[in-house]
Amino acid sequence: MQTIVHIENVHIGQGMPLAIVAGPCVIEDEDTTRRIAERLKDLAARLQMPLIFKASFDKANRTSIHSYRGPGLEKGLRLLETIRTQCELPVLSDVHEIAQVVPAAQVLDVLQIPAFLCRQTDFLLAVARTGKPVNIKKGQFLAPWDIANIVDKIASAGNRRILLTERGAMFGYNNLVVDFRSIPIMQQQTGMPVIFDATHSVQLPGGAGSSSGGQREHAPVLARAAVAAGADAVFMEVHPDPDKALCDGPNSLPLDTLEPFWRQLQAIRRILHDGDD
């Protein structure tokens, strides 16, 4: 029996409507972040799709020391709290070290474990002990069945509010490939809902030399396939002008292209539900 994870008014899991986790890769400034959140909220309300807003206050794993990382913990959390209260949206962000966990848990509705840190036991336990929902990005170096050990670590702290995110696996150098079998495998082995990260799955890690490249044009194709494979939610990074984004622009989706894309995902999810009736 699959767990349903409740995050404010968003319910993710088997039998629930498809949820969307969306926002910019990183907080750039207050105006841009708020504008994105408001546009996403309006679209989600119009389509009646559950929405969680995501944005990073710090991208600690950027390729280059010169890359923009974000406003940092204090300023970033203040802005996410503003989005949470004024836009009335649950918010998600990633944490990168134990010292960030407690202050982040005071603001965020979901704490996210970055893919590169998904096996760091002490860090995982610190996040789990907050009692907040935890979104685990499956490392690019892991097989889908390996995620069960990570779930056990979180659950050992008494926290079973766990989401798992498929974001592709390394395929040679600077490239990722998605094995869609991983979605039902992770669901069946752990009983936890699975999110598909549509935009990081088309990332070309380090592929632009001092930054990662990406192929955003393929993200909708992979997302549709993931929902057809049973994904419970879709994660995507979006921006008003991805070519000018300060982080992950090559794999981010333009805000003004989202409505037909979301409608397609919603329709696929409904077909699956109709088949279960």
Side-chain angles (χ1 to χ4, degrees):
M1 185 70 178
Q2 192 187 75
T3 298
I4 295 174
V5 176
H6 305 281
I7 304 158
E8 296 298 320
N9 61 342
V10 177
H11 313 293
I12 302 178
Q14 190 174 33
M16 297 293 104
L18 182 74
I20 298 290
V21 182
C25 173
V26 66
I27 296 170
E28 296 184 1
D29 58 70
E30 181 172 355
D31 179 67
T32 302
T33 306
R34 185 190 298 272
R35 184 153 45 102
I36 294 171
E38 290 172 349
R39 289 274 300 275
L40 291 173
K41 180 182 178 179
D42 289 345
L43 177 57
R46 189 160 63 249
L47 300 184
Q48 297 184 312
M49 296 186 77
L51 172 68
I52 297 172
F53 181 78
K54 63 81 52 187
S56 295
F57 55 78
D58 180 21
K59 297 300 289 185
N61 57 354
R62 295 300 306 274
T63 303
S64 169
I65 190 67
H66 303 294
S67 297
Y68 176 73
R69 288 179 52 166
L73 180 69
E74 293 185 12
K75 185 176 179 181
L77 287 177
R78 283 198 301 271
L79 179 52
L80 289 170
E81 174 66 17
T82 299
I83 297 296
R84 185 178 189 273
T85 55
Q86 295 186 3
C87 295
E88 298 181 318
L89 289 173
V91 293
L92 172 153
S93 192
D94 38 359
V95 287
H96 294 85
E97 56 187 58
I98 290 175
Q100 296 177 341
V101 171
V102 171
Q106 294 172 353
V107 172
L108 303 177
D109 297 285
V110 186
L111 300 181
Q112 181 167 281
I113 304 292
F116 288 132
L117 299 177
C118 70
R119 287 180 52 169
Q120 298 296 104
T121 302
D122 291 342
F123 177 60
L124 290 169
L125 293 176
V127 173
R129 291 184 187 117
T130 67
K132 288 294 186 80
V134 181
N135 181 35
I136 304 168
K137 287 286 193 80
K138 180 174 75 64
Q140 303 93 322
F141 43 86
L142 293 180
W145 42 86
D146 294 333
I147 202 78
N149 292 317
I150 301 169
V151 170
D152 287 346
K153 291 179 182 182
I154 299 290
S156 74
N159 188 341
R160 295 193 61 81
R161 304 173 74 189
I162 301 169
L163 301 165
L164 308 175
T165 295
E166 169 60 55
R167 48 111 349 119
M170 292 304 298
F171 188 70
Y173 297 122
N174 306 124
N175 198 22
L176 298 169
V177 66
V178 178
D179 179 359
F180 291 102
R181 295 175 300 177
S182 68
I183 294 170
I185 288 171
M186 290 193 290
Q187 288 169 330
Q188 292 161 13
Q189 289 204 347
T190 69
M192 302 300 171
V194 172
I195 299 171
F196 178 68
D197 185 340
T199 49
H200 282 106
S201 292
V202 297
Q203 190 180 56
L204 302 175
S210 61
S211 64
S212 292
Q215 298 174 318
R216 74 173 72 100
E217 66 273 18
H218 298 312
V221 177
L222 297 184
R224 291 192 293 265
V227 175
D232 300 295
V234 176
F235 179 112
M236 62 189 72
E237 292 187 333
V238 302
H239 194 277
D241 188 351
D243 290 333
K244 294 182 180 178
L246 298 182
C247 180
D248 274 3
N251 51 273
S252 295
L253 296 173
L255 266 175
D256 60 7
T257 66
L258 295 180
E259 182 163 353
F261 173 39
W262 286 18
R263 288 186 183 277
Q264 290 174 341
L265 299 181
Q266 190 177 48
I268 295 168
R269 179 73 167 183
R270 285 173 175 162
I271 289 170
L272 292 181
H273 280 191
D274 290 345
D276 292 337
D277 290 342

